């Protein structure tokens, strides 16, 4: 019994719910592996995983096991089977209960990496030597994660958001210490004595003393000069204590009258040029989320459109292509600046990053007629992994957003 409990504990600890996509888990992968994606049916739930979700997971794992049995001995993937069974047997795990619109599972014999998806993927599974990650790239591509700086003329709050949530964050102790050193009228008498002056702003009303963002109404008596000083302090606090080396985009949310004043003094490298020009005191959580997604989606779509418009001119100068072989060679030479791909599986086959050779699979042999060879590697997925390794932008889009009528296209860093 003790050994069984220890085995269960180790299995549970080998299942990791991921906050973001870390490309390093794709390196030095020991085959075989399984990639599995399912949509989540919230309407059928009763405080636990829906039976539909369990049945779909089980059916896809059967497909994966049939595929693995064609190339491997059963002992070669028993760790995958054990972890899949554990996931099925524990319907009350937080990963099921807190699922978004879908879930993605990257599974090997030693670990399972679980991703909460903000969109409902088509049910699919791939089993073999490499992970299938295109749905993850689509989920974590630009526009999925962001911060919102809610700014008034004498107070601020810090929000972390994604496609489904925008949550105000507890400000760290360093921020409280920073402001208590700056301002008199704080809750620290010693700080007041050291300053020997009245503070321009009221630190007591900051988050942590009253509710976050206090009542979120800026004081009318705060002078313009005081507000400018406040913006400098907020900018420094955010830069030094909240973002540091974090490259997540930041959305400014404030009354229109303060936008230019803050942007003139801001040194935040990842502050987006477009913000939410509304007083945050007038926005509830749902309204803030919608406004933030509007900003992120607008910038993302503009970037996609601009890159697509560059394609025709660049192609004329050998700096862009929608030819599979040309793109494969450019990836091998690490010349790809941006990669466009249609979402979903496109074409079975392989890609050798060392030589740039693209090999098409003439015998799709799909497990299910509704899929394009779900068990075989996909060339565009292999292209995406190679593009990740050279810091290329990856756009996974609908066909009508592609720069040509092909399912893949690339912009190069320089001409051939």
């Amino acid at each position: 019994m003790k050994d069984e409990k220890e085995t269960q504990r180790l299995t549970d600890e080998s299942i990791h719910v991921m906050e973001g996509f870390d490309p390093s888990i794709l390196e030095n992968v020991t085959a075989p592996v399984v990639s599995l994606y399912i949509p989540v049916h919230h309407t059928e739930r009763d405080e636990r995983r829906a039976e539909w979700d369990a049945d779909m997971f089980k059916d896809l794992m059967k497909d994966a096991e049939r595929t693995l049995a064609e190339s491997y001995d059963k002992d070669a993937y028993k760790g995958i089977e054990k972890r899949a069974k554990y996931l099925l047997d524990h319907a009350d795990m937080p990963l099921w209960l807190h699922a978004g619109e879908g879930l993605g599972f990257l599974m090997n014999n030693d670990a399972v990496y679980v991703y909460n998806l903000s969109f409902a993927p088509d049910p699919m599974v791939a089993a073999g030597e490499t992970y299938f990650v295109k749905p993850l790239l689509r989920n974590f591509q630009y526009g999925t994660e962001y911060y919102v700086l809610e700014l008034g003329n004498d107070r601020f709050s810090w929000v972390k958001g994604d496609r489904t949530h925008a949550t105000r964050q507890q400000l760290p102790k360093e921020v409280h210490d920073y402001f208590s050193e700056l301002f008199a009228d704080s809750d620290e008498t010693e700080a007041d004595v050291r300053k020997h002056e009245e503070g321009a702003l009221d630190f007591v009303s900051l988050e942590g003393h009253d509710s976050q963002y206090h009542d979120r109404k800026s004081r009318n008596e705060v002078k313009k000069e005081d507000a400018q000083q406040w913006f400098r302090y907020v900018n420094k606090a955010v830069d030094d204590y909240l973002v540091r080396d974090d490259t997540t985009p930041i959305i400014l949310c404030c009354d229109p009258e303060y936008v230019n004043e803050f942007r003139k003094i801001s040194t935040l490298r990842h502050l987006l040029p477009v913000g939410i020009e509304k007083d945050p005191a007038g926005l509830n959580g749902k309204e803030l989320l919608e406004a933030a997604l509007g900003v992120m989606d607008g910038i993302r779509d503009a970037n996609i459109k601009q890159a697509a418009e560059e394609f025709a001119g660049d192609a004329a100068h050998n700096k862009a292509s929608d030819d599979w072989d040309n793109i494969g060679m450019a990836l091998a030479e690490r010349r790809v600046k941006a990669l466009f791909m249609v979402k979903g599986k496109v074409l079975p086959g392989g890609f050798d990053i060392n030589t740039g050779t693209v090999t098409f699979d003439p015998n799709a042999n799909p497990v299910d007629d509704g899929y394009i060879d779900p068990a075989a590697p996909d060339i565009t997925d292999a292209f995406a992994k190679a593009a990740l390794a050279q810091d290329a932008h990856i756009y996974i889009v609908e066909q009508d957003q592609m720069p040509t009528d092909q399912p893949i296209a690339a912009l190069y860093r320089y001409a051939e």
Side-chain angles (χ1 to χ4, degrees):
M1 179 65 73
K2 183 177 180 181
D3 290 344
E4 182 179 342
K5 286 184 177 180
E6 179 66 8
T7 299
Q8 291 238 353
R9 183 186 68 80
L10 292 174
T11 301
D12 184 77
E13 290 179 355
S14 71
I15 298 171
H16 310 284
V17 179
M18 309 299 286
E19 292 294 327
F21 178 65
D22 181 3
S24 67
I25 70 169
L26 306 178
E27 300 171 1
N28 303 317
V29 176
T30 301
V33 297
V34 169
S35 309
L36 187 152
Y37 299 91
I38 59 171
V40 172
H41 290 64
H42 292 278
T43 55
E44 300 177 16
R45 288 173 168 242
D46 183 19
E47 297 185 357
R48 57 192 287 117
R49 180 189 58 210
E51 285 303 311
W52 191 100
D53 301 332
D55 290 343
M56 177 55 67
F57 185 94
K58 187 185 303 181
D59 290 344
L60 291 173
M61 278 306 304
K62 287 179 180 177
D63 289 344
E65 289 163 12
R66 281 196 294 267
T67 300
L68 291 173
E70 295 176 1
S71 304
Y72 300 93
D73 293 332
K74 193 170 181 64
D75 284 347
Y77 53 90
K78 64 181 181 181
I80 295 174
E81 287 185 322
K82 179 175 73 173
R83 285 165 178 78
K85 184 177 185 304
Y86 186 88
L87 287 166
L88 278 169
D89 290 345
H90 293 77
D92 57 349
M93 293 179 72
L95 69 91
W96 294 115
L97 302 182
H98 302 154
E101 295 301 308
L103 288 169
F105 301 83
L106 301 186
M107 312 170 71
N108 61 47
N109 280 306
D110 299 315
V112 177
Y113 302 98
V114 186
Y115 297 86
N116 207 337
L117 305 181
S118 61
F119 67 96
D122 293 330
M124 69 144 295
V125 67
E129 296 183 358
T130 60
Y131 291 123
F132 179 71
V133 298
K134 247 172 88 173
L136 298 183
L137 298 182
R138 178 187 170 198
N139 191 71
F140 292 107
Q141 66 185 336
Y142 185 78
T144 298
E145 296 182 339
Y146 53 87
Y147 293 119
V148 180
L149 171 57
E150 291 189 307
L151 183 67
N153 65 356
D154 70 336
R155 62 206 67 203
F156 77 100
S157 65
W158 187 243
V159 175
K160 185 175 183 180
D162 56 25
R163 301 293 312 179
T164 57
H165 299 88
T167 307
R168 290 189 178 88
Q169 305 297 296
Q170 184 78 13
L171 296 178
K173 183 177 183 296
E174 294 94 332
V175 172
H176 290 288
D177 292 345
Y178 168 71
F179 281 105
S180 68
E181 289 290 330
L182 283 172
F183 301 126
D185 302 324
S186 76
D187 60 345
E188 294 186 10
T189 305
E190 291 185 9
D192 297 345
V193 172
R194 284 197 301 272
K195 291 293 293 183
H196 297 294
E197 60 185 15
E198 290 187 5
L201 305 163
D202 180 11
F203 175 68
V204 177
S205 67
L206 286 178
E207 182 272 331
H209 298 266
D210 292 320
S211 60
Q212 275 195 339
Y213 213 74
H214 191 42
D215 61 359
R216 303 175 70 212
K217 296 178 182 177
S218 297
R219 296 180 307 168
N220 292 330
E221 64 267 24
V222 174
K223 298 177 183 179
K224 181 178 179 181
E225 294 78 8
D226 293 337
Q228 290 173 340
Q229 182 186 25
W230 167 248
F231 295 157
R232 293 189 184 93
Y233 292 144
V234 171
N235 176 80
K236 181 173 174 56
V238 171
D239 213 4
D240 289 356
Y241 303 115
L242 298 179
V243 294
R244 294 189 176 96
D245 297 324
D246 193 337
T247 60
T248 302
I250 303 169
I251 300 171
L252 175 64
C253 175
C254 67
D255 191 287
E257 70 173 294
Y258 304 133
V259 172
N260 291 335
E261 290 297 327
F262 183 79
R263 289 191 181 278
K264 280 192 295 187
I265 61 91
S266 176
T267 59
L268 303 177
R269 289 177 299 160
H270 302 288
L271 184 68
L272 295 177
V274 178
I276 302 170
E277 296 193 10
K278 295 181 180 179
D279 184 349
L283 298 175
N284 61 33
K286 181 180 179 182
E287 292 168 338
L288 180 65
L289 175 63
E290 291 175 351
L293 291 181
V295 171
M296 300 306 293
D297 289 347
I299 292 175
R300 180 201 61 203
D301 291 345
N303 288 342
I304 292 173
K305 183 179 180 182
Q306 179 180 346
E309 289 173 348
E310 290 177 15
F311 184 88
D314 285 357
H317 296 90
N318 296 320
K319 288 186 63 180
S321 177
D322 61 3
D323 179 84
W324 298 86
D325 292 325
N326 288 344
I327 296 173
M329 188 58 65
L331 284 166
E333 296 172 350
R334 302 182 67 84
R335 293 191 294 112
V336 171
K337 177 175 70 173
L339 190 66
F340 281 87
M341 298 185 293
V342 172
K343 69 178 185 179
K345 276 209 157 193
V346 177
L347 195 62
F351 168 62
D352 187 333
I353 184 58
N354 297 310
T355 65
T357 303
V358 178
T359 306
F360 297 95
D361 182 0
N363 182 18
N365 187 28
V367 174
D368 184 305
D369 290 340
Y371 303 125
I372 301 177
D373 197 6
D378 176 57
I379 296 173
T380 59
D381 194 64
F383 278 6
K385 293 170 189 171
L388 275 176
Q390 53 196 267
D391 296 324
H393 293 288
I394 300 175
Y395 300 110
I396 300 175
V397 299
E398 303 289 348
Q399 182 65 60
D400 61 6
Q401 292 179 291
M402 292 290 292
T404 75
D405 59 1
Q406 295 298 308
I408 192 161
L411 302 176
Y412 302 154
R413 301 182 195 280
Y414 50 87
E416 294 181 273

